[in-house]
Amino acid sequence: MSASAGAAGKETAGRGLLVVSVMLATIMQVIDTTIANVALPEMQGSLSATRDQISWVLTSYIVAAAIMTPPTGWLAERLGRRRLFLICITGFTTASVLCGFAGSIGSMVAFRILQGLFGAALVPLSQSTLLNAYPPEKHGQAMALWGVGIMVGPILGPTVGGYLTEYYSWHWVFFINVPVGILAFLGVAASIPDSTPNDRPFDFAGFAFLSLAVGAFQMMLDRGESLDWFASTEIKVEAGLAFACFWMFLVHARTAKTPFVDLGLFKDRNFASGSVFIFIVGIVLLATLALLPPFLQQLMGYPVMTTGLVLAPRGVGTMISMIVVGRILGKVDARFPILAGLMLTALSLHQMAGFTMEVGIRDIVVSGLIQGAGLGLIFVPLSTMTFATLPTRARTEAAGLFSLIRNIGSSVGISIVMSLLSRNGTINHATLTEHVTPFNEMLQRPWLPDAWSLDAPAGLAALNAEITRQATQIAFLNDFKLMMVVTLAAAPLLLLLRSPKHAASPPGRPAAPAADH
């Protein structure tokens, strides 16, 4: 009895170290997608870069990570999960140090590419490792732990980045990864056992086609708004290249003996439906996060630190809901928490679509808490159900595709809302100025403030500034309303998902032992 209890305690302690280690690696990678955003103005001055050049600090990281996410499954089989984990943590941490010491925009972009290349595998590796470390009935708890890093990381990134930039310097945005990387390396080395490498051949043609397709598509999304989309030759070339390469990848994957990506994974109904769902979650999560900072800073006049603090409760709501749903997931149909999460997320976006210039911090925090709770309720059961009917051997490759689809969804969402924000702001401005005439009673004294006098150039300039402000606010509210519609439109997809309770062990596919790390 005591020996059994001792063995169970040792297993629990080992699993605890594994969870902490992989979560540190996950948070380190995910938080770097947003932590540098608020530091860009400081970097631009320090590195003597133009506005277009400094944007490559973000673009290079996103594109590199997107390209290297799909090969995670093959690399894990070829090198072993433990060895790949250690290589990626070491490379990412080293690249972070190099970014902190970068003295020019060229070197910074090069080191950010290295960061993206090494960090791409950390998220899918952590997800598959946690799924293998827990028995099927506890996969909800495993995904709750993993989801904390995935969902909270982007939310806390601007807060942490703003604090480090304001009180130290932009260099510490990257140096902060060093202690986290060291702890993650030591933990992974001690908790994940060695696995036998597999001699699966590498499909270079499939990798080349998919990499070019993903890279060109990401470039198109990241640069489309600044280049006026298809009015630009560059965007047309990138769109054509993305479509052509993706088509060739699909043809090659259906005809090759050992394709780079097993498209048969999408024959699994849960995985296919879950991939569509996570695409929508990616749109809503990061698109909303991309809208709120400029709304609070440019329209409301909040400083960087205040903006970060106002957004932080969103992460608190996410953490609380993930912990709760992780505990109840085995007792209720997993589709019910997802539906509740969709409704809460839609409710928060409805509240945000009613923001005015006089909106208070309390209203912003409450809507953020509700949205964070809603996204947490969606993410954990969705991740659990997506992988419930897949064999253990396919989890790492499937996790790589899952992460890639989520990241592409995020890029698509950000591109859409930012493009609509700019376009609708211009349209709204033109619509509002149609009413600025001397014959409008509201623009005649005593209604008109002295500062907006139509008889003086200074008054006209001040009035135009206010019109621009109001037009931009309307554009923000339209984007929030669009995100609400997208969230509600995802609800019917619940009918395609099967509950893990009934799908954890598909016929003819025995469950793998939990000790297979």
Side-chain angles (χ1 to χ4, degrees):
M1 183 71 175
S2 61
S4 176
K10 183 176 181 181
E11 179 183 353
T12 303
R15 184 183 294 166
L17 178 61
L18 181 146
V19 168
V20 172
S21 304
V22 300
M23 287 311 304
L24 284 174
T26 301
I27 292 173
M28 179 177 66
Q29 193 273 345
V30 173
I31 204 172
D32 259 55
T33 60
T34 57
I35 194 173
N37 293 26
V38 295
L40 287 183
E42 297 289 335
M43 291 186 201
Q44 183 175 349
S46 177
L47 300 176
S48 301
T50 64
R51 182 177 178 181
D52 188 57
Q53 288 173 333
I54 203 65
S55 68
W56 281 96
V57 173
L58 303 179
T59 302
S60 58
Y61 179 86
I62 294 171
V63 172
I67 290 174
M68 283 305 295
T69 298
T72 302
W74 180 86
L75 290 170
E77 289 188 17
R78 190 76 175 183
L79 301 175
R81 186 177 290 115
R82 178 176 181 269
R83 184 180 300 175
L84 178 60
F85 233 135
L86 296 177
I87 291 174
C88 290
I89 292 173
T90 302
F92 187 88
T93 307
T94 303
S96 298
V97 174
L98 294 174
C99 287
F101 284 119
S104 66
I105 187 62
S107 60
M108 171 61 79
V109 171
F111 298 147
R112 283 287 278 177
I113 291 174
L114 281 179
Q115 257 195 324
L117 295 177
F118 282 107
L122 291 177
V123 170
L125 277 177
S126 65
Q127 185 176 23
S128 60
T129 298
L130 286 177
L131 284 171
N132 290 348
Y134 283 82
E137 63 271 15
K138 292 187 177 181
H139 278 180
Q141 296 180 25
M143 289 300 92
L145 293 169
W146 180 73
V148 168
I150 296 299
M151 302 291 282
V152 178
I155 296 171
L156 294 182
T159 306
V160 176
Y163 177 83
L164 292 173
T165 303
E166 184 165 339
Y167 292 102
Y168 296 93
S169 71
W170 65 263
H171 305 275
W172 284 96
V173 167
F174 301 104
F175 291 152
I176 193 66
N177 289 331
V178 175
V180 179
I182 293 173
L183 291 175
F185 181 93
L186 296 175
V188 167
S191 61
I192 300 182
D194 286 320
S195 56
T196 304
N198 191 324
D199 291 334
R200 173 185 169 188
F202 186 67
D203 179 14
F204 286 101
F207 173 69
F209 290 144
L210 186 58
S211 297
L212 285 172
V214 171
F217 188 62
Q218 287 282 0
M219 289 286 292
M220 182 191 77
L221 293 175
D222 290 335
R223 293 176 57 77
E225 174 58 29
S226 61
L227 298 178
D228 196 20
W229 292 102
F230 291 98
S232 165
T233 303
E234 177 186 329
I235 298 301
K236 292 177 183 177
V237 170
E238 288 164 353
L241 183 63
F243 178 80
C245 288
F246 186 68
W247 177 256
M248 289 188 286
F249 163 75
L250 291 178
V251 173
H252 177 80
R254 295 298 299 270
T255 56
K257 287 185 177 180
T258 55
F260 172 63
V261 173
D262 181 11
L263 296 182
L265 292 171
F266 291 99
K267 293 180 180 179
D268 183 285
R269 189 171 74 180
N270 269 25
F271 182 73
S273 304
S275 297
V276 176
F277 242 119
I278 200 63
F279 180 85
I280 295 172
V281 170
I283 289 176
V284 175
L285 173 64
L286 283 192
T288 307
L289 285 177
L291 289 170
L292 281 173
F295 177 83
L296 296 176
Q297 292 175 10
Q298 296 174 14
L299 293 184
M300 306 297 295
Y302 288 11
V304 173
M305 276 303 300
T306 304
T307 299
L309 292 174
V310 169
L311 296 180
R314 184 179 307 267
V316 175
T318 301
M319 292 178 65
I320 293 173
S321 66
M322 282 184 170
I323 293 172
V324 172
V325 78
R327 294 183 178 275
I328 67 171
L329 198 53
K331 303 173 184 178
V332 300
D333 189 319
R335 288 169 290 191
F336 292 140
I338 296 178
L339 179 60
L342 288 172
M343 295 303 104
L344 285 176
T345 304
L347 173 61
S348 69
L349 289 165
H350 175 71
Q351 293 174 331
M352 294 164 66
F355 282 173
T356 66
M357 292 294 187
E358 289 76 34
V359 64
I361 290 181
R362 179 180 176 276
D363 294 326
I364 299 171
V365 169
V366 169
S367 66
L369 279 170
I370 294 174
Q371 187 172 113
L375 290 171
L377 287 176
I378 297 171
F379 198 80
V380 175
L382 176 61
S383 301
T384 304
M385 295 179 75
T386 300
F387 294 88
T389 51
L390 291 176
T392 304
R393 67 180 183 278
R395 281 177 184 160
T396 303
E397 183 174 356
L401 291 174
F402 194 66
S403 295
L404 176 64
I405 292 168
R406 176 176 54 83
N407 289 334
I408 290 177
S410 300
S411 298
V412 169
I414 292 173
S415 296
I416 290 173
V417 297
M418 288 304 177
S419 179
L420 289 176
L421 182 66
S422 175
R423 189 163 306 221
N424 288 340
T426 302
I427 294 173
N428 295 336
H429 185 278
T431 302
L432 291 175
T433 52
E434 290 177 359
H435 303 281
V436 181
T437 70
F439 306 102
N440 188 332
E441 293 182 1
M442 296 301 296
L443 295 178
Q444 297 174 2
R445 300 181 185 279
W447 300 105
L448 189 68
D450 292 339
W452 293 352
S453 173
L454 298 180
D455 300 324
L460 287 172
L463 181 59
N464 180 67
E466 180 60 25
I467 292 175
T468 302
R469 186 166 169 258
Q470 297 290 341
T472 304
Q473 185 206 9
I474 296 172
F476 273 109
L477 302 188
N478 289 340
D479 275 355
F480 292 140
K481 189 178 295 184
L482 173 64
M483 292 297 100
M484 180 187 70
V485 172
V486 170
T487 303
L488 292 174
L493 291 173
L494 286 172
L495 300 175
L496 300 177
L497 293 171
R498 289 181 295 176
S499 174
K501 187 181 296 184
H502 306 293
S505 297
R509 188 181 289 165
D516 176 21
H517 300 316

